[in-house]
Structure formats: structure tokens, C-alpha cells
Amino acid sequence: MPDDTILEVNDLQHHFDVSPPALDRVLRGKGRVAVKALDGVSFSIRRGENFSLVGESGCGKTTVARCIVGLYRPSAGNIVFDGVDIGRLKQRNAMSRVRRRMQMVFQDPYASLNPRWRVRKIVAEPLVTHRLVTDKAELRTRVGELLEQVRLSPADGDKFPHEFSGGQRQRISIARALAAHPDLLVCDEPTSALDVSVQAQILNLMKDLQRRLGLTYLFISHNLAVIYQISDRVGVMYLGRLVEVATADQLFSTPRHPYTQLLLETIPRLDPPDGSSGEREPVAGEVPNPIHPPPGCAFHPRCPLANDRCRNERPSLLIADDAFVACHAVHEGRLSSRLAEPHSPARCD
Amino acid sequence: MTPKNTEPLLRVENLRVEVPSRRGALTAVDDVSFDIAPGEVLGVVGESGAGKSLTGAAIIGLLEPPLRIAGGSITLSGRRIDTLPYEAMRRVRGKEIGVIFQDPLTSLNPLHTVGHQLVETVRTHLDMGSVEARGRALSLLGEVGIAAAEERIDHYPHQFSGGMRQRVVIALAIAASPRLIIADEPTTALDVSVQAQIIALLKRLGRDHGTAIMLVTHDMGVIAETAHRVAVMYAGRIVEIGSVRKIIDRPSHPYTAGLMASIPRTSGPRGRLQQIDGTMPRLNAIPEGCPFNPRCPKRLSRCRHDRPDLIPSGDADVACWLYLPVSEPTHA
């Protein structure tokens, strides 16, 4: 593993138990049922990089984030943060030291701030929890600095969350996440609950902070345009698996996996694609039920290129040119006819 | 308003929605006028709190008290509907105006099969027996693209996926062949690939049946793909209304321009997005003059005192002093 890797996730699995009640299992002979929310996800993030996960609801992107920050315990696989395998940490102290260095910004700024606490207390919480600042006056100064860093005023510390708009609340969340000087910020759909003009403010702020503080981001979103704007590298997820990992430029100019192509083709565009009146035939089908994912490649029921191998054998994430793709069609070269005419930038506008 | 060849299906004039508060009435929708022609899709965009959903709710007579219509008129095919008594309005709703809300799960009754709900809606508005109504329900499900309708009609809402539920909601909305559909964020709760399917369905309805659609959403991508004209709302007012290409490609109002520039794209240069500094004012703190003036990069001195009206400017109607032909503005 190269030196500049800050986070490495290896074959991460997380299963949710959705079994019927115990009595049903005994009396009716029903078995245990597990949803494989994550089914072998591996990736690594370099220091200072902005790595994004994108996918439709239920694909497992939030579960990845929650496993990394320790809100879920993975069923299998390991997470290595700066050389330390987090899953092996048994002592509270050791875990707490790692936790300080990665912080999370949640999706819903209305639910992630305690309505009964003043903003000052909310932002100071990580400083107090990790005993970084003990002096009261110093705490006050530090909170003021943090609020200024996210372009709020130190006087805002005396207010309650309900006095702020959604965008301002998300700034408070970011200030709280930055309080403990983290290295890695895990951002789970940080702008999904915001209006576009406010979204632009928050994305710009996050970029500024990254440059100034040397932060590493794991950014999670279902919005491909946001992903394109903010990411260095992107992982596309489908039903608990990574199907493609590539740099943002590559992913948006030459998507390789058929699912990535589907995603890019279905984004509603501001400008109609060249040579059409804006009419597009939408791809049929929806994400299948994750309790009984299709065998083989999980995408095969919706894939125009699926053959017998796709229906039976699960593809692994292999290198294809300069991206990683999990697709038999790509690896066998069956996709070559489509790849020969890469998406021009105008087409995925 | 832009003159039209066809008689408008819906005409909203000087609509004003107020909510009483301890310190006098607050105006949530202020002097909003527009019309929709048969078969036309009018997109209504704006940030949350801009009044776009309230405008929709006012048209279908579903403003939640204490919100109330305090002025203006709403006319559907030449008949005033904002003054109708509750029972009469109930017959208009569903029969002449269909409604699609954002969350398909809360718009359906979880205790009844979708067939039951469709038959109930059909029989409420159309003179049909139960067998005939069931036949109509089946054809509605087929029309909105639900495969194996014969089997699915006896399923409960929880047995449908999100996209399929929204199709059922659309089937309910068109059950009595209304001439107008008010769709409030119909695709916001859905994934992109399903969203594209629902957009295609809405467009087909407009084309095949001449159904007019008022599409309320904050997603400009959806508007660009669906709407013919767009109204942009800010702080309870329409600031600009015009054809969809005009609004997207050549916005006039500084707010529209800022809004369009702040939308992230999936191609072209990356880096900083353009942003509009500040936030939309709250109802109790709408500034004097043009409500956008504190955030406006092109503010003139009169913007702080005089409220601009929506006036024709080129191929759109704009409420902005920059586009007043006879004024001689001085810079602030």
C-alpha cells in the first residue's frame, strides 16, 4: 500500500438481519434472512483526495460511510485508517484517537443538530469529548474561529439551530465536524436537502476548506452533477457492490460499466443532447430487491449486454485501461463497439 | 401576460395567499399571475419557501388553514373556482384537476388495494358501475405502464416499489380524465433512472390527451426535459416567466441567472460553482422594494424602494427594473 493512502477498505461486508420473528422460524420452519447491504466493497483513498461514492437509493453507499466512521460494525472485511486496522482496535482509548481524526457530516441538517442545544455547545462537543480544549475562554474563542471558518458569525453561537436556514445549519454541521482537526471528512449527501443556490455555497465552502486545511473527503451523493463538480475519483455502486471506479474525468467522458452509462444517460439535462429534441427512451426497470439479488452480475436483468456468463458468474472489479470495472462484457471486449464512440462531453451535459 | 392564440385553460390573476400572525398578515404568495393553455406544461421553480407549492395548493383549494387566499382570482375554463364552496370544489378536484404529490407512499391509503382506490376515485367522478369502473382501473394501470395490471390491481401499496407507486398515484390523478394536473415535486423522491421514466410518462399524457400540467419542482433538469414554459418564483412572487429555452439559455432576471449558474453540470469546467450569496428572506422579513435587492449583483438605487412588476421584456415577462424600457436608472 503506497504511503499516501489514508484509508483502505478491503472486502467490506455488512449484512442486516431481516429474519422473520423467532416464533415463526421455530413453528413454520422459516430460515434467517439477511440483506447484504455491502457485499465485498474494496477501495482506497489517498491523502488530500476527494473520493466519491455514487449510486441509487439502497445501493449501500451510506452503509459504507457508517461502517467507516464506526456507526456500524462490519460483518466482514477490514478498514485500515492511516495504517491502523480499525476493526482490531479493542481499547476505547485507541478507538477514540482514530475517531477524532475522522468526522462525519450528515445529510439532514434538521435532524443532525440537537434542537435544545445552543450552536456553541454543538460545535464545542467534539472538543470537549476528546478533551482537546479544557479552558472555558479558550473553548469560546475556538468555537468562534470555527464558526468564522464556515462563514458564520461568532455571535451565532448563542442561537439555537431553529434560528438558521438549512444551508446555515449545514455550515454548523461542518464546523462541528472540523472542530477536532480531522484528517478525513465523511460527507453523506451533505447538500441533498438544500436548494441549488445554497448547494453551490456549501460545495464551494467544502472545496475551500479542503484546500486550506488539507482535508481528505469521502463524499457520498446520488447527484451525478454534484459528484462531477467535487470529486477526484468516483466509485459507482449497485446493490452493495462497486461496479466501476475511475477518475471523475474518465467516468463522465468514457463510462465503461453499462450501469454507469445508464446513470449518465438518465440524468435530466438542462440542454437537450445534440441531434435530438430532448426525447429519450428511459431505461426500463428498477433496482431489484436486495434481499434476493439476482445471481451472477446483479445488474444483468437490466443490462442490454447480459449473456449466460453474466447470469451465473459474478464479475470482479478488474482493471480495464485506466479504470476498474466489474463487468464481463467489458473484460471480454463485448462492449468495444460502444466504447469505440466515447461519449462526447456535449452528450452528457 | 403573454397573449395567446388559444383560450387559457387555467388563469391565475393577482393571486395573494396570506398567513395571519401576531404582527399582521404575512404574504406567502404575492400578486402571482399566469395562465396555462390546454396541453401545455408549465414548470414552476424556486427555492423552498418561494411559494411554488402554496400556489399549487391554492389552485386546488387545499391551502391548509390558517393559510388563505386573500386576493386575486383563479379561473378554470372560464369558471371561477377560488370562490367555490367546499363541496363544489371537491367535485372539481379529481374530476377537472388531478393532483400528484411528492411522496407516493403518503398519497396512497395503505389499507386498501390500489384497485379499490382506483375504482373509488373513478366512481366518485364518473357515472360507472363497479364492473365498468374496474375495467377502467385496469386500463389506467396499463396506461401508466404497470405490467401485469390484472394481477397488480389487487395488490396493496406496500407491495409496489417507489417508481411503481408513483405510477399508481398518476393513474389516480388521471382517473377522471382531468384537463389539468398539478404535479408537486412528482419525481423528487425517486431515483434518477426511475425519474426519467416518470418524466416520459407525464410528457406522454400531455401529448396524447391534451392534459395541461403545472409542474412544481426545484429540479431544473426535470423542467428542462418536460416543460414548455417556466415561471421562476422568489419570495412569493414570479420574477420571470417565459419559454423553457429562454429561461435556461438566456435568463433575464439576475435571480434566474444566478440560479441557472449555480446548477452543477456534468460536463465542462469544474472548480468553483457560481453562487448567490445570502439566503432567501423569511416571510416576516421580505425587504422593501424588489425582494431580491439585498442579494442582487446588479442592484440599482430604485430597487431598494420600488417594487418592480412583471412586464414583458423581449420574449419573457420579467419583474426587474433593469428591463424597464422607459426608466433612466442610476447606479447605487
Side-chain angles (χ1 to χ4, degrees):
Chain A
M1 143 176 154
D3 263 346
D4 62 345
T5 301
I6 188 164
L7 183 83
E8 194 175 317
V9 172
N10 295 312
D11 197 26
L12 190 68
Q13 305 211 7
H14 188 75
H15 302 170
F16 289 105
D17 190 350
V18 290
S19 310
L23 200 60
D24 270 13
R25 293 206 301 271
V26 174
L27 297 180
R28 306 214 173 108
K30 289 185 181 171
R32 283 200 166 271
V33 186
V35 173
K36 292 183 177 172
L38 293 181
D39 193 9
V41 170
S42 307
F43 60 89
S44 61
I45 306 179
R46 284 188 290 273
R47 207 175 287 278
E49 187 183 35
N50 196 331
F51 183 80
S52 296
L53 288 175
V54 65
E56 296 179 272
S57 48
C59 72
K61 50 195 194 300
T62 295
T63 310
V64 172
R66 292 180 160 249
C67 284
I68 290 171
V69 297
L71 291 173
Y72 291 151
R73 185 167 281 275
S75 309
N78 59 33
I79 299 165
V80 182
F81 179 76
D82 210 8
V84 182
D85 185 342
I86 302 177
R88 299 248 173 96
L89 293 177
K90 293 282 181 277
Q91 280 181 308
R92 266 185 82 95
N93 273 341
M95 192 63 207
S96 161
R97 273 200 296 277
V98 175
R99 286 261 177 88
R100 179 191 70 74
R101 299 180 54 196
M102 42 189 187
Q103 295 288 324
M104 186 151 174
V105 177
F106 294 90
Q107 171 171 2
D108 184 354
Y110 294 86
S112 59
L113 303 175
N114 188 334
R116 287 161 175 273
W117 283 13
R118 289 183 197 277
V119 168
R120 183 179 313 288
K121 191 173 174 187
I122 293 172
V123 175
E125 193 186 13
L127 297 170
V128 175
T129 306
H130 294 289
R131 296 194 189 84
L132 298 173
V133 178
T134 41
D135 179 62
K136 265 206 168 153
E138 198 188 330
L139 197 64
R140 224 181 153 78
T141 322
R142 180 84 186 103
V143 169
E145 285 167 12
L146 284 162
L147 288 174
E148 278 182 333
Q149 208 161 44
V150 296
R151 312 220 173 102
L152 292 170
S153 131
D156 287 332
D158 293 324
K159 297 182 186 165
F160 285 99
H162 75 260
E163 298 174 64
F164 295 91
S165 67
Q168 291 169 323
R169 283 181 210 218
Q170 207 56 307
R171 288 170 195 269
I172 298 170
S173 292
I174 295 172
R176 171 177 63 184
L178 294 176
H181 286 300
D183 298 297
L184 174 71
L185 222 53
V186 178
C187 310
D188 186 8
E189 305 259 15
T191 62
S192 302
L194 307 176
D195 287 307
V196 276
S197 69
V198 183
Q199 168 172 284
Q201 294 173 1
I202 297 293
L203 291 178
N204 286 339
L205 172 70
M206 292 182 67
K207 276 187 184 173
D208 292 346
L209 290 171
Q210 177 167 40
R211 209 172 31 239
R212 214 163 45 190
L213 306 174
L215 294 167
T216 307
Y217 285 143
L218 170 60
F219 194 95
I220 287 164
S221 179
H222 68 279
N223 186 330
L224 288 153
V226 168
I227 294 276
Y228 176 74
Q229 290 296 331
I230 200 157
S231 317
D232 298 317
R233 280 192 310 138
V234 185
V236 181
M237 290 188 72
Y238 188 76
L239 273 185
R241 298 170 194 176
L242 271 172
V243 297
E244 179 161 1
V245 180
T247 64
D249 289 325
Q250 276 169 359
L251 193 88
F252 284 85
S253 60
T254 39
R256 284 157 214 273
H257 196 284
Y259 177 62
T260 314
Q261 296 179 348
L262 175 151
L263 273 184
L264 289 180
E265 272 163 25
T266 49
I267 325 173
R269 282 171 212 144
L270 287 181
D271 313 303
D274 292 340
S276 87
S277 56
E279 292 287 315
R280 289 180 291 120
E281 204 44 54
V283 181
E286 291 183 40
V287 182
N289 184 341
I291 298 182
H292 303 291
C297 171
F299 186 61
H300 84 253
R302 299 170 79 186
C303 183
L305 300 157
N307 65 7
D308 275 345
R309 189 178 173 208
C310 302
R311 281 184 272 273
N312 296 310
E313 187 191 329
R314 177 177 165 180
S316 5
L317 199 63
L318 298 173
I319 196 152
D321 296 333
D322 32 18
F324 288 91
V325 187
C327 177
H328 293 313
V330 171
H331 300 311
E332 291 169 9
R334 274 189 278 141
L335 205 57
S336 53
S337 57
R338 294 185 69 174
L339 270 181
E341 31 169 346
H343 287 230
S344 66
R347 279 203 59 199
C348 41
D349 204 353
Chain B
M1 300 290 346
T2 340
K4 287 240 151 29
N5 303 331
T6 44
E7 180 69 17
L9 176 68
L10 178 80
R11 167 159 282 171
V12 175
E13 281 177 300
N14 309 106
L15 179 70
R16 188 178 171 85
V17 173
E18 287 185 352
V19 55
S21 79
R22 270 176 290 177
R23 300 174 56 197
L26 301 176
T27 311
V29 174
D30 191 0
D31 201 18
V32 162
S33 303
F34 60 90
D35 49 18
I36 305 181
E40 185 182 44
V41 180
L42 175 76
V44 180
V45 286
E47 298 177 47
S48 37
K52 53 193 195 310
S53 289
L54 287 182
T55 305
I59 293 169
I60 52 178
L62 285 181
L63 279 178
E64 287 203 29
L67 283 162
R68 61 183 192 92
I69 295 178
S73 66
I74 302 166
T75 320
L76 184 71
S77 321
R79 172 188 181 207
R80 237 183 120 167
I81 56 168
D82 57 313
T83 48
L84 285 179
Y86 182 80
E87 272 305 311
M89 191 59 207
R90 216 166 70 94
R91 282 193 293 275
V92 170
R93 212 183 297 136
K95 178 89 173 75
E96 290 172 60
I97 308 178
V99 188
I100 303 167
F101 290 111
Q102 173 172 354
D103 184 357
L105 196 54
T106 49
S107 332
L108 295 170
N109 186 333
L111 299 178
H112 291 298
T113 63
V114 300
H116 179 102
Q117 298 179 51
L118 279 164
V119 167
E120 182 189 22
T121 308
V122 168
R123 295 196 65 192
T124 304
H125 296 295
L126 306 175
D127 184 23
M128 279 191 185
S130 57
V131 176
E132 203 186 346
R134 191 177 161 91
R136 166 115 184 124
L138 279 173
S139 71
L140 284 168
L141 288 178
E143 168 139 36
V144 296
I146 292 182
E150 281 281 357
E151 183 191 334
R152 299 294 265 164
I153 192 167
D154 292 318
H155 285 180
Y156 288 87
H158 76 265
Q159 291 166 296
F160 289 79
S161 65
M164 285 296 155
R165 271 182 217 138
Q166 197 61 302
R167 287 171 195 269
V168 174
V169 171
I170 294 175
L172 279 167
I174 62 170
S177 311
R179 283 167 294 169
L180 173 69
I181 290 178
I182 311 270
D184 190 354
E185 305 270 8
T187 60
T188 307
L190 307 173
D191 283 317
V192 275
S193 64
V194 181
Q195 188 176 319
Q197 298 166 8
I198 299 294
I199 291 173
L201 173 61
L202 286 175
K203 285 169 81 167
R204 192 162 54 74
L205 287 176
R207 211 170 38 230
D208 296 356
H209 302 285
T211 315
I213 301 175
M214 175 174 158
L215 178 66
V216 175
T217 179
H218 66 273
D219 189 334
M220 275 311 298
V222 172
I223 295 274
E225 299 236 329
T226 323
H228 302 111
R229 283 192 307 139
V230 187
V232 182
M233 290 190 73
Y234 185 80
R237 294 184 190 79
I238 291 180
V239 295
E240 183 166 3
I241 182 168
S243 77
V244 65
R245 295 309 334 162
K246 148 80 187 157
I247 298 285
I248 291 174
D249 300 334
R250 292 169 285 114
S252 298
H253 197 284
Y255 173 67
T256 318
L259 189 66
M260 293 303 145
S262 65
I263 299 171
R265 319 257 170 148
T266 52
S267 67
R270 304 194 290 156
R272 282 186 76 80
L273 289 160
Q274 273 204 44
Q275 61 180 56
I276 314 174
D277 288 325
T279 48
M280 197 170 66
R282 292 182 185 204
L283 286 186
N284 57 11
I286 294 179
E288 197 193 341
C290 171
F292 187 60
N293 87 70
R295 302 171 73 188
C296 184
K298 296 180 175 171
R299 181 177 59 193
L300 312 170
S301 60
R302 74 179 303 184
C303 299
R304 277 192 283 243
H305 317 291
D306 298 342
R307 177 157 298 174
D309 285 326
L310 204 58
I311 50 159
S313 158
D315 43 2
D317 292 1
V318 189
C320 177
W321 292 123
L322 289 173
Y323 297 95
L324 194 66
V326 286
S327 73
E328 286 171 15
T330 44
H331 275 273

